[in-house]
Protein backbone atom coordinates (compact mmCIF):
# COMPACT_ATOMS: atom_id res chain seq x y z
CA UNK A 1 0.00 0.00 0.00
CA UNK A 2 1.27 3.45 -0.86
CA UNK A 3 0.33 6.56 1.08
CA UNK A 4 0.93 10.25 0.61
CA UNK A 5 2.66 11.23 3.84
CA UNK A 6 3.55 14.85 3.14
CA UNK A 7 1.22 15.93 5.91
CA UNK A 8 0.26 14.04 9.04
CA UNK A 9 -2.67 11.71 8.37
CA UNK A 10 -3.99 9.71 11.33
CA UNK A 11 -5.67 7.08 9.13
CA UNK A 12 -2.52 6.47 7.08
CA UNK A 13 -0.36 6.33 10.23
CA UNK A 14 -2.72 3.81 11.86
CA UNK A 15 -2.79 1.63 8.72
CA UNK A 16 1.00 1.72 8.38
CA UNK A 17 1.45 0.82 12.06
CA UNK A 18 -0.98 -2.11 11.71
CA UNK A 19 0.75 -3.35 8.57
CA UNK A 20 4.44 -3.06 9.46
CA UNK A 21 4.46 -2.26 13.17
CA UNK A 22 5.23 0.89 15.10
CA UNK A 23 8.59 2.61 14.69
CA UNK A 24 11.42 1.60 16.96
CA UNK A 25 11.95 3.82 19.97
CA UNK A 26 14.98 6.07 20.15
CA UNK A 27 16.82 3.67 22.49
CA UNK A 28 15.96 0.62 20.37
CA UNK A 29 17.14 2.45 17.27
CA UNK A 30 20.47 3.23 18.91
CA UNK A 31 20.87 -0.40 19.98
CA UNK A 32 20.21 -1.51 16.39
CA UNK A 33 22.72 1.11 15.15
CA UNK A 34 20.05 2.82 13.09
CA UNK A 35 16.81 1.77 11.44
CA UNK A 36 16.86 3.99 8.37
CA UNK A 37 18.97 4.09 5.25
CA UNK A 38 20.60 7.10 3.71
CA UNK A 39 18.90 8.36 0.59
CA UNK A 40 19.37 6.40 -2.60
CA UNK A 41 18.67 7.27 -6.21
CA UNK A 42 15.52 5.64 -7.61
CA UNK A 43 16.25 4.14 -11.04
CA UNK A 44 12.83 2.79 -11.95
CA UNK A 45 9.46 1.81 -10.49
CA UNK A 46 6.61 -0.41 -11.60
CA UNK A 47 3.76 1.01 -13.69
CA UNK A 48 1.55 1.44 -10.63
CA UNK A 49 4.08 3.83 -9.09
CA UNK A 50 5.00 5.91 -12.17
CA UNK A 51 2.73 8.72 -10.97
CA UNK A 52 4.85 9.28 -7.85
CA UNK A 53 8.06 9.94 -9.77
CA UNK A 54 9.18 13.31 -11.07
CA UNK A 55 8.20 13.66 -14.72
CA UNK A 56 10.94 16.12 -15.55
CA UNK A 57 14.61 15.23 -15.52
CA UNK A 58 14.97 15.63 -11.76
CA UNK A 59 16.62 12.85 -9.79
CA UNK A 60 14.22 10.79 -7.70
CA UNK A 61 15.37 9.88 -4.21
CA UNK A 62 14.14 7.25 -1.81
CA UNK A 63 15.08 5.71 1.50
CA UNK A 64 14.16 2.65 3.53
CA UNK A 65 13.08 2.36 7.17
CA UNK A 66 12.97 -0.93 9.05
CA UNK A 67 9.95 -1.51 11.27
CA UNK A 68 9.16 -4.45 13.55
CA UNK A 69 7.01 -6.33 11.02
CA UNK A 70 8.22 -4.86 7.72
CA UNK A 71 9.77 -1.92 5.95
CA UNK A 72 8.77 1.48 4.65
CA UNK A 73 10.09 2.87 1.39
CA UNK A 74 9.81 6.63 1.18
CA UNK A 75 10.03 8.39 -2.18
CA UNK A 76 10.13 12.15 -2.61
CA UNK A 77 8.42 13.86 -5.57
CA UNK A 78 9.12 17.56 -5.44
CA UNK A 79 7.68 18.67 -2.11
CA UNK A 80 5.48 15.60 -1.68
CA UNK A 81 6.43 12.44 0.21
CA UNK A 82 5.07 8.99 -0.56
CA UNK A 83 5.44 5.94 1.67
CA UNK A 84 5.12 2.31 0.57
CA UNK A 85 4.51 -0.11 3.46
CA UNK A 86 5.75 -3.68 2.89
CA UNK A 87 5.34 -6.47 5.47
CA UNK A 88 8.31 -8.86 5.65
CA UNK A 89 6.26 -11.80 4.40
CA UNK A 90 5.62 -9.95 1.10
CA UNK A 91 9.15 -8.59 0.72
CA UNK A 92 11.47 -9.82 -2.04
CA UNK A 93 14.91 -8.30 -2.57
CA UNK A 94 16.98 -8.68 -5.75
CA UNK A 95 20.59 -7.58 -5.92
CA UNK A 96 21.69 -7.61 -9.58
CA UNK A 97 22.97 -4.69 -11.66
CA UNK A 98 20.51 -2.65 -9.64
CA UNK A 99 19.15 -3.13 -6.13
CA UNK A 100 15.41 -3.72 -6.26
CA UNK A 101 12.64 -4.36 -3.78
CA UNK A 102 9.53 -6.20 -4.93
CA UNK A 103 6.20 -6.74 -3.16
CA UNK A 104 2.48 -6.72 -3.87
CA UNK A 105 3.08 -6.89 -7.64
CA UNK A 106 5.15 -3.67 -7.64
CA UNK A 107 8.82 -2.80 -7.38
CA UNK A 108 11.25 0.02 -6.74
CA UNK A 109 14.69 -0.23 -8.31
CA UNK A 110 17.63 1.73 -6.88
CA UNK A 111 20.86 2.67 -8.66
CA UNK A 112 24.00 0.91 -7.43
CA UNK A 113 26.44 3.77 -7.03
CA UNK A 114 28.14 5.60 -4.16
CA UNK A 115 24.86 5.87 -2.21
CA UNK A 116 24.35 2.11 -2.46
CA UNK A 117 27.85 1.48 -1.09
CA UNK A 118 27.14 3.82 1.82
CA UNK A 119 24.00 1.80 2.60
CA UNK A 120 25.61 -1.65 2.29
CA UNK A 121 25.65 -2.29 6.07
CA UNK A 122 22.02 -1.19 6.30
CA UNK A 123 21.01 -3.50 3.44
CA UNK A 124 22.78 -6.42 5.16
CA UNK A 125 20.85 -5.57 8.34
CA UNK A 126 17.62 -5.51 6.31
CA UNK A 127 18.38 -8.97 4.92
CA UNK A 128 19.05 -10.27 8.46
CA UNK A 129 15.66 -8.95 9.62
CA UNK A 130 13.97 -10.61 6.62
CA UNK A 131 15.65 -13.96 7.36
CA UNK A 132 14.74 -13.80 11.07
CA UNK A 133 11.14 -13.04 10.19
CA UNK A 134 10.99 -15.89 7.63
CA UNK A 135 12.25 -18.34 10.26
CA UNK A 136 9.24 -17.53 12.45
CA UNK A 137 6.94 -18.81 9.76
CA UNK A 138 8.94 -21.73 8.40
CA UNK A 139 6.18 -24.23 7.60
CA UNK A 140 8.47 -27.10 6.73
CA UNK A 141 10.17 -27.10 10.13
CA UNK A 142 6.79 -27.05 11.87
CA UNK A 143 5.62 -30.16 10.01
CA UNK A 144 8.78 -32.22 10.72
Amino acid sequence: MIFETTYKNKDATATINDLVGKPYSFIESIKLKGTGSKRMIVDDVSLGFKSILNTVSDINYGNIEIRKKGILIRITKGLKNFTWAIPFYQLHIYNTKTFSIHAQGNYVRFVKNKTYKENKKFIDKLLDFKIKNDKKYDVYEMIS
Side-chain angles (χ1 to χ4, degrees):
M1 300 179 77
I2 193 154
F3 303 95
E4 183 180 347
T5 55
T6 307
Y7 302 104
K8 191 165 185 163
N9 181 344
K10 291 180 183 179
D11 294 334
T13 303
T15 305
I16 289 170
N17 289 344
D18 286 343
L19 199 58
V20 295
K22 291 189 176 187
Y24 286 102
S25 69
F26 180 70
I27 302 297
E28 289 172 323
S29 182
I30 290 174
K31 287 179 183 176
L32 292 171
K33 297 181 182 173
T35 58
S37 71
K38 295 179 182 177
R39 71 180 189 171
M40 297 183 279
I41 298 173
V42 175
D43 182 40
D44 191 23
V45 294
S46 59
L47 283 175
F49 291 168
K50 290 287 185 190
S51 64
I52 66 169
L53 290 183
N54 292 316
T55 53
V56 293
S57 61
D58 288 346
I59 296 174
N60 295 295
Y61 291 104
N63 69 332
I64 304 168
E65 177 188 344
I66 297 175
R67 293 281 184 103
K68 295 176 180 167
K69 298 187 292 184
I71 65 169
L72 298 177
I73 297 180
R74 292 196 173 91
I75 297 175
T76 305
K77 176 184 180 179
L79 298 174
K80 293 185 178 181
N81 297 321
F82 294 91
T83 302
W84 183 22
I86 306 171
F88 280 126
Y89 68 89
Q90 293 179 347
L91 177 66
H92 298 281
I93 299 172
Y94 297 98
N95 198 357
T96 57
K97 290 181 182 177
T98 58
F99 171 71
S100 61
I101 294 180
H102 297 248
Q104 305 160 353
N106 295 302
Y107 67 88
V108 174
R109 193 174 297 143
F110 296 102
V111 176
K112 274 184 148 177
N113 60 2
K114 182 181 175 185
T115 59
Y116 172 80
K117 291 175 184 170
E118 291 172 353
N119 285 309
K120 185 68 176 124
K121 286 183 180 178
F122 174 80
I123 292 168
D124 291 341
K125 185 188 316 181
L126 173 62
L127 290 171
D128 289 342
F129 273 82
K130 168 76 172 144
I131 290 168
K132 286 178 187 175
N133 188 298
D134 286 348
K135 285 184 179 179
K136 289 180 188 175
Y137 304 103
D138 196 2
V139 177
Y140 298 111
E141 287 182 13
M142 294 168 76
I143 295 172
S144 303

